[in-house]
Amino acid sequence: PGLLEPTSCLIRVSKTAPTLGIAIEGGANTRQPLPRIVTIQRGGSAHNCGKLKVGHVILEVNGTGLRGKEHREAARIIAEAFKLKEKDYIDFLVTEFN
Amino acid sequence: REKRLTLPPSEITLL
């Protein structure tokens, strides 16, 4: 469904560092209903990728939609995608608009 | 719109 978002963009982040290195805020039942990136830490995989930006709103993680997911659940989905050994990357579908 | 304004802020998680 996220593919229908007109302004969305798929970003593949390779696991090039021991951490992903993003901070997110938001989730269902908060003022920010989808997780938004608020920090990108230097030296993390996201920073090394160079394409994820502060302000990006995350619509999907490896094809799993985050709409309707509360903050902790969304954070868990992202953390598990990073831990998953079978994949050396995470695909984020993001949009710059809320 | 009104309802949206009353929603709480989110916590922040570092990943």
Side-chain angles (χ1 to χ4, degrees):
Chain A
L3 294 173
L4 298 174
E5 295 264 352
T7 59
S8 66
C9 160
L10 189 68
I11 295 177
R12 177 162 290 188
V13 175
S14 296
K15 299 174 186 174
T16 55
T19 62
L20 178 57
I22 64 171
I24 58 160
E25 68 167 3
N29 306 316
T30 72
R31 278 176 211 162
Q32 170 63 47
L34 278 162
R36 177 178 168 275
I37 298 175
V38 291
T39 310
I40 295 188
Q41 292 191 310
R42 199 175 289 218
S45 297
H47 183 260
N48 292 347
C49 159
K51 290 182 194 145
L52 276 185
K53 302 271 183 269
V54 167
H56 274 156
V57 172
I58 304 172
L59 303 170
E60 293 181 7
V61 177
N62 287 343
T64 300
L66 299 186
R67 202 173 292 278
K69 303 273 199 292
E70 293 198 344
H71 178 80
R72 285 178 189 201
E73 175 69 356
R76 189 189 63 76
I77 288 168
I78 296 168
E80 294 201 342
F82 192 75
K83 276 192 287 184
L84 189 70
K85 288 196 166 65
E86 289 74 21
K87 270 189 186 171
D88 60 1
Y89 60 85
I90 307 178
D91 283 331
F92 288 99
L93 187 70
V94 301
T95 178
E96 293 188 32
F97 301 96
N98 267 313
Chain B
R1 189 75 193 159
E2 272 301 303
K3 191 184 168 207
R4 194 183 153 86
L5 289 173
T6 63
L7 286 169
S10 165
E11 55 191 306
I12 292 177
T13 300
L14 181 61
L15 292 157

